[in-house]
């Protein structure tokens, strides 16, 4: 198991620039060798600056499929929608030409459309070229929340499902998320965190303890050829 590679930046702007240029290079490489590239990004508030820099990259965005690592089960007119945030900050400028695959379907509960979602994400193709994860100060990543109902399905290393549903008590709505195998199969896998509190959380997650208590541990402990790339700024 390769140790994570930790990249520390003086400012969040410098981090956004570096991460955006690294991701653009990986996507351009995938397009050059395979004709297509697949990118999955997390929502939340941290990635906005990074999205805005990446959106300006001069690559063949028409050959790129972009999706989310996870979504809150809300329509895109909700301020909680990751898809809406991604459309606003990433699907702009040159990157507007990319194909975006969202999660949300108008249904009361995600369970009603699980097969539709599972099939949709199977169709994207098995391995993502790039997956960008965020992390909460509770040690969750994606929508893999500590001890949440549905967490086992999210983390099952043997599942063929591409998506899982979680009902974290700490969250206002159900969550849908990519499953563990799809995330850790990514060629370039990065964890993008900012601030002192998340640095402490990361340090705690690297320590001993159950994965269920800090699900980001599943990524830190994953047996990958390429090391996890951690991007941090104060
Ligand atoms: O839907 C989400 O919220 C994300 O996908 C989630 O995993 C996020 O990366 C962390 O919660 C960090 O969120 P912040 O960037 O807002 O701290």
């Amino acid at each position: 198991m390769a140790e994570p590679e930790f990249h520390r930046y003086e400012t969040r702007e410098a981090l956004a620039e570096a991460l955006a240029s690294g991701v653009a290079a990986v996507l351009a490489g995938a397009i050059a060798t395979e004709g297509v590239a697949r990118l999955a990004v997390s929502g939340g508030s941290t990635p906005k600056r990074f999205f805005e820099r990446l959106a300006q990259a001069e690559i063949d965005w028409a050959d790129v499929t972009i999706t989310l690592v996870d979504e809150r089960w809300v329509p895109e007119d909700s301020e909680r929608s990751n898809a809406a945030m991604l459309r606003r900050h990433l699907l702009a400028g040159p990157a507007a030409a990319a194909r975006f695959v969202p999660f949300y379907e108008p249904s009361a509960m995600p369970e009603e459309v699980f097969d539709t979602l599972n099939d949709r994400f199977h169709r994207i193709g098995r391995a993502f070229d790039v997956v960008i994860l965020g992390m909460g100060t509770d040690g969750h990543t994606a929508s893999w929340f500590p001890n949440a109902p549905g967490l086992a399905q999210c983390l099952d290393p043997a599942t063929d499902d591409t998506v899982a549903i979680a009902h974290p008590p700490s969250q206002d709505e159900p969550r849908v998320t990519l499953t563990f195998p799809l995330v850790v199969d990514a060629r370039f896998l990065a964890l993008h965190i900012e601030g002192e509190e998340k640095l402490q959380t990361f340090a705690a997650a690297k320590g001993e303890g159950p994965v269920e208590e800090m699900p980001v541990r599943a990524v830190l402990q994953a047996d990958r050829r390429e090391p996890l790339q951690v991007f941090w700024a104060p």
Side-chain angles (χ1 to χ4, degrees), residues 2-22:
E3 273 295 300
E5 286 184 7
F6 195 89
H7 309 277
R8 177 188 298 262
Y9 294 88
E10 287 301 309
T11 65
R12 298 182 177 187
E13 289 71 22
L15 185 160
E17 287 292 346
L19 184 54
S21 58

Side-chain angles (χ1 to χ4, degrees), residues 73 107-115 117 165-167 174-176:
W73 200 248
S107 84
M109 296 300 280
E111 283 81 357
E112 296 163 19
V113 290
F114 176 80
D115 291 342
L117 296 180
I165 297 166
H167 292 270
R175 293 292 191 103
V176 283

